[in-house]
């Protein structure tokens, strides 16, 4: 088996690699490093989690070992689709270049131009950037790309989704024709193929298996969900999500919940928080500092549930995620592979559980075709009534002032009478349609004390760039999401679900009128009797 020491890397790089605890190169590293060191173009078809970042950083550091940077003329350029990924690459660079004198700058949105300009003015060996921010600097006349000897394009397929391809083409055109190009993409869409044919010269092509498609360490399952009424779809689906999380409580240490649309990211995070879960949203419309804080919190185990859009979460290196919940079936089948690849990393066990609406069944077929497997159908964990535990539309649109009171009210009836409500609900419940197929084990449902353990090794994040076209603009509901540090944003600091449970003391309720549902009335009678 190839060892790092066989790869002709700079001894200083080898030392850093060994200090990082890596012994043998991963397949993408063993395949990409030798041609890269020979100065050849490389086309790596690999996704995050395969070790691809080191497959371009290690040879870059070795090749740049000789020579010095000149003011405003970086010697190498790494382009990443999101701020998170760019920051992650920068961290990798710091790890592997720690015994060298190479310098780097990170050009991402949300950081002041002034600081970044100062670094570039001094001259950097490695410039790590998102395409938009890089072009902003270029247009301000602060940057020359004619000194770029090595250019890396990371996650090209995501660049395509985000509409960055014209920027990438432009940047290619600003760098010298003689540059070396290391190009990485998880998939080879026709447009990506066109770019590589245009800008890469006789590349060495290395393709590594999609780890997630065959990942036997990832338990997969899908719950077929049918809302009882169209206007209740959102709240019933969120109630089902909570039941799924609860059912996994024993093994769920932390989780990423993926939604197809940004507005759902916000709605799901908000709703989970309201129900006492330790959840935070992350997507492209949130401001930089909030995204960084959320990610750092998630990595540190302070935030247990990250609710994310594909773009925001793509490529994040968060090795200890125990669960991925797909609130929707992704509309691009490849995203399923990326999403579930967030769990079960480095041989750990993981679970990937998805909810499928009737209208997503076509997408589910596409996913199953791509992974060449039938995803086991799961039962709704309790077969409960989503209606009983679903939020009312009123609560969903409550103002910040109104919300705490309503939340408490709801918590009261929920915590007391959930079971009774479920009984009753047979008629009301959305009853996630259950196809008893190969049944993936779902544990019975203690409450979700999604415990922390995550230790992570990557960096902060976001970008102001567009998210994939499929995502829609946030609605007013999204706009009302409280800022961190305000209102419910602090739930987790106050003890999250436990705290909420403690708050749900029963109180006498008057004025319910004659229409009080029997299951609620019963609880009062019991109370009165006692
Ligand atoms: P990446 O695909 O670059 O996001 O890397 C995924 C994870 O694998 C990161 O946590 C790396 O630190 C880790 N990693 C990279 N190279 C190796 C290696 N040769 N052996 C073990 N882990 C590695």
């Amino acid at each position: 088996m190839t060892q790092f020491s066989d790869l002709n890397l700079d001894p200083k790089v080898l030392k850093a690699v060994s200090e990082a605890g890596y012994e043998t190169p991963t397949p993408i590293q063993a395949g990409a490093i030798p041609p890269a060191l020979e100065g050849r173009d490389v086309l790596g078809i690999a996704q995050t989690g395969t070790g691809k970042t080191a497959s371009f950083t290690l040879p870059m550091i070795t090749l740049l070992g000789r020579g010095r940077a000149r003011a405003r003329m970086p010697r190498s350029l790494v382009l990443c689709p999101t701020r998170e990924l760019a920051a992650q690459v920068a961290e990798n660079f710091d790890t592997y270049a720690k015994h060298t004198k190479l310098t780097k700058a990170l050009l991402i949105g949300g950081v002041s131009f002034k600081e970044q300009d100062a670094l570039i003015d001094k001259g950097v060996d490695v410039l790590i950037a998102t395409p938009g921010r890089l072009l902003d600097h270029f247009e301000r006349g602060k940057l020359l790309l004619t000194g770029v000897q090595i250019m890396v394009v990371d996650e090209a397929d995501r660049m395509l989704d985000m509409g960055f391809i014209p920027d990438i083409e432009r940047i290619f055109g600003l760098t010298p024709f003689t540059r070396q190009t290391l190009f990485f993409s998880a998939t080879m869409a026709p447009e990506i193929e066109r770019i590589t044919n245009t800008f890469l010269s006789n590349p060495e092509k290395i393709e590594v298996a999609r780890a997630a498609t065959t990942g036997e360490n990832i338990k997969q399952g899908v719950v077929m969900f049918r809302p009882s009424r169209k206007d209740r779809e959102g709240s019933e689906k969120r109630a089902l999500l909570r039941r799924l999380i609860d059912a996994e409580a024993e093994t769920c240490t932390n989780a990423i919940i993926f939604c197809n649309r940004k507005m759902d990211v916000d709605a799901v995070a908000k709703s989970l928080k309201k129900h006492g879960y330790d959840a935070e949203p992350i997507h492209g419309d949130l401001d930089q500092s909030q995204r960084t804080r959320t990610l750092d919190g998630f990595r540190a185990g302070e935030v247990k549930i990250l609710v994310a859009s594909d773009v925001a979460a793509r490529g994040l290196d968060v090795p200890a995620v125990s669960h991925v919940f797909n609130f929707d079936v992704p509309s691009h089948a490849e995203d399923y592979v990326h999403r579930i690849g967030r769990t079960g990393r480095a041989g750990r066990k993981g679970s990937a559980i998805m909810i499928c609406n009737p209208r997503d069944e076509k997408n589910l077929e596409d996913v199953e075709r791509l992974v060449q497997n039938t995803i086991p159908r799961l039962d709704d964990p309790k077969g409960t009534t989503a209606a009983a535990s679903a939020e009312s539309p009123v609560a969903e649109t409550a103002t910040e002032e109104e919300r705490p009171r309503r939340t408490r009210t709801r918590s009261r009836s929920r915590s007391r009478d959930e079971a009774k409500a479920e009984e009753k609900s047979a008629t009301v419940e959305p009853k996630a349609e259950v196809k008893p197929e190969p049944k993936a084990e779902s544990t019975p449902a203690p409450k979700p004390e999604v415990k922390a353990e995550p230790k992570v090794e990557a960096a902060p994040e976001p970008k102001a760039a567009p998210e994939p076209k499929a995502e829609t603009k946030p609605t007013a509901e999204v706009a009302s999401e409280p800022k961190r540090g305000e209102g419910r944003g602090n739930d987790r600091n106050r003890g999250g679900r436990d705290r909420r449970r403690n708050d749900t003391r029963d109180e006498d309720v008057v004025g319910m009128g004659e229409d009080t549902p029997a299951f609620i009335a019963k609880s009062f009678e019991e109370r009165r009797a006692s």
Side-chain angles (χ1 to χ4, degrees):
M1 189 189 280
T2 314
Q3 299 297 308
F4 276 113
S5 50
D6 303 330
L7 290 179
N8 234 353
L9 290 162
D10 183 327
K12 289 176 188 154
V13 173
L14 285 177
K15 187 166 177 231
V17 166
S18 131
E19 285 167 3
Y22 304 147
E23 287 160 10
T24 47
T26 63
I28 187 74
Q29 291 164 358
I33 293 174
L37 286 174
E38 286 168 18
R40 289 191 55 192
D41 284 0
V42 168
L43 172 56
I45 303 168
Q47 62 182 96
T48 313
T50 54
K52 74 175 162 56
T53 317
S55 79
F56 61 80
T57 21
L58 302 184
M60 274 174 79
I61 298 167
T62 301
L63 291 168
L64 294 170
R66 280 157 267 131
R68 288 195 53 205
R70 290 164 56 194
R72 289 197 281 157
M73 290 180 71
R75 300 164 66 206
S76 66
L77 176 62
V78 181
L79 292 175
C80 302
T82 65
R83 298 176 194 173
E84 289 92 341
L85 265 172
Q88 214 162 271
V89 170
E91 270 197 9
N92 270 257
F93 176 83
D94 288 343
T95 304
Y96 303 129
K98 65 178 182 183
H99 299 301
T100 73
K101 292 203 170 70
L102 296 179
T103 55
K104 65 138 210 295
L106 183 60
L107 292 194
I108 53 176
V111 178
S112 92
F113 276 95
K114 217 172 146 199
E115 264 173 49
Q116 299 178 330
D117 282 345
L119 279 172
I120 296 171
D121 275 347
K122 270 198 256 165
V124 290
D125 297 296
V126 181
L127 187 59
I128 302 161
T130 49
R133 197 29 104 88
L134 182 86
L135 287 172
D136 285 349
H137 277 268
F138 180 80
E139 273 153 18
R140 292 165 72 246
K142 298 286 182 186
L143 183 64
L144 288 168
L145 295 175
T146 44
V148 171
Q149 299 157 24
I150 306 170
M151 173 161 157
V152 177
V153 179
D154 195 13
E155 304 252 350
D157 48 347
R158 186 54 40 165
M159 302 263 200
L160 175 67
D161 287 350
M162 295 172 72
F164 281 154
I165 294 299
D167 287 352
I168 300 291
E169 290 190 74
R170 182 158 171 229
I171 295 167
F172 266 122
L174 298 171
T175 60
F177 180 66
T178 50
R179 71 173 184 266
Q180 177 183 9
T181 309
L182 311 176
F183 192 100
F184 293 83
S185 185
T187 53
M188 285 302 283
E191 184 69 353
I192 301 286
E193 187 119 28
R194 182 185 69 76
I195 299 282
T196 58
N197 290 340
T198 312
F199 295 106
L200 272 63
S201 154
N202 186 28
E204 175 82 20
K205 190 170 168 185
I206 299 111
E207 185 160 4
V208 301
R210 294 159 170 277
T213 49
T214 52
E216 282 165 14
N217 51 333
I218 302 176
K219 181 187 88 179
Q220 296 177 55
V222 57
V223 179
M224 308 308 287
F225 161 73
R226 196 173 292 278
S228 63
R229 269 178 23 193
K230 200 156 188 327
D231 62 339
R232 291 199 183 142
E233 179 177 331
S235 60
E236 290 182 356
K237 201 172 174 190
R238 290 189 289 273
L240 170 60
L241 174 68
R242 293 196 297 278
R243 290 194 297 278
L244 290 168
I245 297 173
D246 292 356
E248 293 292 312
E250 259 175 34
T251 51
C252 185
T253 53
N254 60 348
I256 303 182
I257 297 171
F258 285 98
C259 304
N260 288 0
R261 302 179 307 164
K262 279 185 271 194
M263 60 184 280
D264 284 333
V265 169
D266 278 313
V268 167
K270 191 189 283 189
S271 148
L272 284 172
K273 277 200 261 190
K274 192 171 65 190
H275 286 268
Y277 296 76
D278 189 1
E280 293 289 342
I282 182 161
H283 61 65
D285 284 349
L286 298 173
D287 75 57
Q288 160 85 43
S289 60
Q290 184 175 358
R291 292 169 66 174
T292 304
R293 238 187 345 254
T294 299
L295 265 182
D296 287 349
F298 187 63
R299 290 196 174 106
E302 290 152 12
V303 174
K304 301 300 187 303
I305 299 177
L306 193 63
V307 188
S309 63
D310 287 293
V311 169
R314 177 70 176 271
L316 294 181
D317 185 25
V318 188
V321 174
S322 73
H323 281 67
V324 164
F325 293 93
N326 284 310
F327 187 70
D328 309 288
V329 180
S331 40
H332 297 115
E334 297 100 49
D335 282 336
Y336 179 76
V337 176
H338 293 302
R339 288 177 178 190
I340 77 165
R342 308 292 86 213
T343 184
R345 305 189 84 177
R348 289 184 183 83
K349 281 205 169 6
S351 298
I353 297 169
M354 181 154 68
I355 301 176
C356 179
N357 282 26
R359 68 164 172 278
D360 284 347
E361 281 170 18
K362 168 84 186 48
N363 290 341
L364 178 59
E365 279 171 27
D366 291 345
V367 166
E368 293 187 321
R369 198 171 311 117
L370 178 74
V371 301
Q372 294 172 9
N373 241 324
T374 303
I375 301 173
R377 269 45 175 181
L378 299 180
D379 292 336
D380 179 334
K382 291 184 181 169
T384 61
T385 121
S389 52
E391 306 103 7
S392 74
V394 176
E396 284 290 283
T397 52
T399 64
E400 282 309 301
E401 298 79 58
E402 290 171 301
R403 196 172 280 119
R405 194 173 59 79
R406 290 190 185 172
T407 305
R408 277 199 303 276
T409 307
R410 177 178 13 268
S411 298
R412 212 159 35 230
S413 52
R414 248 174 51 83
S415 57
R416 277 175 104 210
D417 272 319
E418 210 164 40
K420 286 175 203 145
E422 283 166 18
E423 259 167 48
K424 180 177 183 212
S425 66
T427 49
V428 196
E429 172 62 4
K431 189 104 187 325
E433 175 198 321
V434 174
K435 279 197 203 138
E437 280 226 15
K439 191 154 160 212
E441 334 103 57
S442 75
T443 22
K447 285 297 173 195
E449 235 50 275
V450 187
K451 283 190 209 97
E453 154 234 28
K455 170 180 168 277
V456 183
E457 57 229 75
E461 87 79 40
K463 61 160 295 16
E467 295 238 9
K469 296 158 213 138
E471 302 210 3
T472 58
K473 280 277 159 238
T475 61
E477 182 183 337
V478 172
S480 75
E481 182 73 10
K483 292 249 167 14
R484 242 180 119 87
E486 285 171 17
R488 294 167 300 112
N490 268 348
D491 266 1
R492 64 190 170 88
N493 299 330
R494 298 198 307 261
R497 196 170 180 85
D498 277 341
R499 156 96 185 197
R500 182 177 299 284
R501 273 201 224 126
N502 295 339
D503 281 351
T504 56
R505 295 182 313 273
D506 280 343
E507 287 162 19
D508 287 332
V509 179
V510 292
M512 292 295 286
E514 288 172 10
D515 296 331
T516 311
F519 71 93
I520 294 181
K522 196 165 165 221
S523 74
F524 300 146
E525 281 155 24
E526 279 168 6
R527 187 170 181 78
R528 238 180 273 133
S530 72

